[in-house]
């Protein structure tokens, strides 16, 4: 189970202020390309599941993820998540020809076929994300700039076993620095599928 705090930032200016304030705690910047897939019969969303291939920093790393039964309330997301690394060149081949996912030797894709009864895969498209990662007060923060075809969204994410405590710390930090925020009620995938910014 992945548990994350998700706080939305109103614009590029607020995002820039947060990144500048956290600069002493920066660990790395990740450039992510997120591409999503479904079964040809729409088997995954009908069972509240999402299949994603994510590329990190071009071809440096590739991870296939299956997320299921997501709940996002008051800025706290809870979702079952299973991840597995695959060869980036194989990942690119699957993006170009999604049907190749069915023959990939992968625990996650076997789950898609066995558990969710997916026979053929189709691509849904995706979005790019720049994630500045910080180690701050015992928390790993990701300050994201997500670029969709229809606009850009900014948020702070924090994966944690204590979501209420982490959310309180983040809200206090933002309020102290006069930075507006909101609790996200939709995942990046849900925003992508809706075609409009939250």
């Amino acid at each position: 189970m992945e548990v994350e705090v998700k706080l939305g930032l109103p614009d590029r200016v607020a995002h820039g202020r947060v990144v500048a304030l956290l600069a002493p705690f920066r660990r790395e910047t990740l450039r992510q390309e997120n591409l999503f897939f479904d079964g040809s019969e729409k088997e995954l969303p009908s069972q509240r599941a999402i299949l994603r291939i994510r590329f990190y920093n071009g071809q440096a790393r590739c991870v296939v993820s299956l997320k299921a039964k997501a709940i996002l309330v008051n800025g706290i997301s809870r979702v079952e998540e299973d991840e597995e690394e695959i060869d980036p060149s194989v990942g690119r081949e699957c993006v170009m020809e999604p049907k190749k996912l069915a023959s990939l030797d992968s625990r996650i894709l076997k789950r898609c076929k066995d558990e969710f009864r997916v026979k053929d895969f189709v691509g849904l498209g995706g979005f790019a994300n720049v994630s500045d990662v910080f180690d701050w007060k015992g928390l790993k923060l990701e300050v994201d700039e997500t670029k969709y075809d229809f606009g850009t969204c900014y948020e702070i994410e924090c994966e944690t076993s204590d979501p209420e405590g982490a959310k309180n710390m983040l809200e206090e930090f933002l309020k102290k620095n006069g930075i507006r925020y909101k609790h996200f009620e939709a995942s990046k995938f849900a925003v992508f599928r809706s075609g409009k910014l939250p």
Side-chain angles (χ1 to χ4, degrees):
M1 178 71 70
E2 175 189 66
V3 180
E4 286 184 319
V5 175
K6 292 178 170 282
L7 300 178
L9 299 169
D11 53 33
R12 176 183 287 276
V13 173
H15 173 269
R17 287 197 57 219
V18 170
V19 169
L21 287 164
L22 294 173
F25 309 100
R26 182 187 305 270
R27 183 197 314 171
E28 63 184 330
T29 298
L30 299 171
R31 299 190 185 294
Q32 303 166 343
E33 184 181 351
N34 301 280
L35 299 150
F36 298 90
F37 302 86
D38 192 1
S40 58
E41 304 286 322
K42 300 184 172 138
E43 298 92 336
L44 295 175
S46 68
Q47 298 178 71
R48 294 180 47 218
I50 299 166
L51 179 64
R52 177 189 70 204
I53 292 180
R54 174 179 281 169
F55 296 93
Y56 290 87
N57 299 327
Q59 294 285 99
R61 186 172 166 228
C62 181
V63 175
V64 62
S65 302
L66 180 64
K67 295 188 176 201
K69 300 176 185 164
I71 299 170
L72 179 53
V73 177
N74 293 324
I76 297 176
S77 167
R78 290 176 170 82
V79 62
E80 293 176 15
E81 182 178 43
D82 192 3
E83 293 186 328
E84 180 179 23
E85 287 208 32
I86 61 172
D87 182 288
S89 62
V90 171
R92 289 285 175 205
E93 286 177 22
C94 291
V95 169
M96 298 304 293
E97 292 181 57
K99 291 188 185 298
K100 287 188 175 187
L101 288 165
S103 60
L104 200 63
D105 182 21
S106 159
R107 177 187 79 254
I108 290 175
L109 294 164
K110 183 174 179 356
R111 278 189 66 198
C112 287
K113 292 182 281 189
D114 295 349
E115 199 175 315
F116 297 94
R117 295 182 173 77
V118 175
K119 292 178 183 67
D120 292 315
F121 291 90
V122 295
L124 302 176
F127 53 83
N129 191 58
V130 177
S131 184
D132 290 304
V133 182
F134 304 91
D135 292 319
W136 178 77
K137 296 190 177 189
L139 300 173
K140 177 186 167 193
L141 304 182
E142 296 180 12
V143 182
D144 292 348
E145 176 182 20
T146 306
K147 295 181 180 181
Y148 302 100
D149 288 343
F150 48 86
T152 303
C153 201
Y154 305 92
E155 75 176 307
I156 301 172
E157 290 183 344
C158 176
E159 189 171 342
T160 178
S161 59
D162 177 18
E164 289 298 335
K167 185 170 90 164
N168 289 339
M169 286 174 64
L170 284 167
E171 288 177 340
E172 184 179 310
F173 165 75
L174 294 168
K175 287 175 186 172
K176 177 183 168 189
N177 289 287
I179 299 169
R180 292 182 302 125
Y181 67 93
K182 64 181 174 182
H183 297 152
F184 266 178
E185 300 296 331
S187 69
K188 287 182 178 94
F189 177 74
V191 171
F192 163 68
R193 293 299 280 170
S194 76
K196 61 183 182 190
L197 297 177

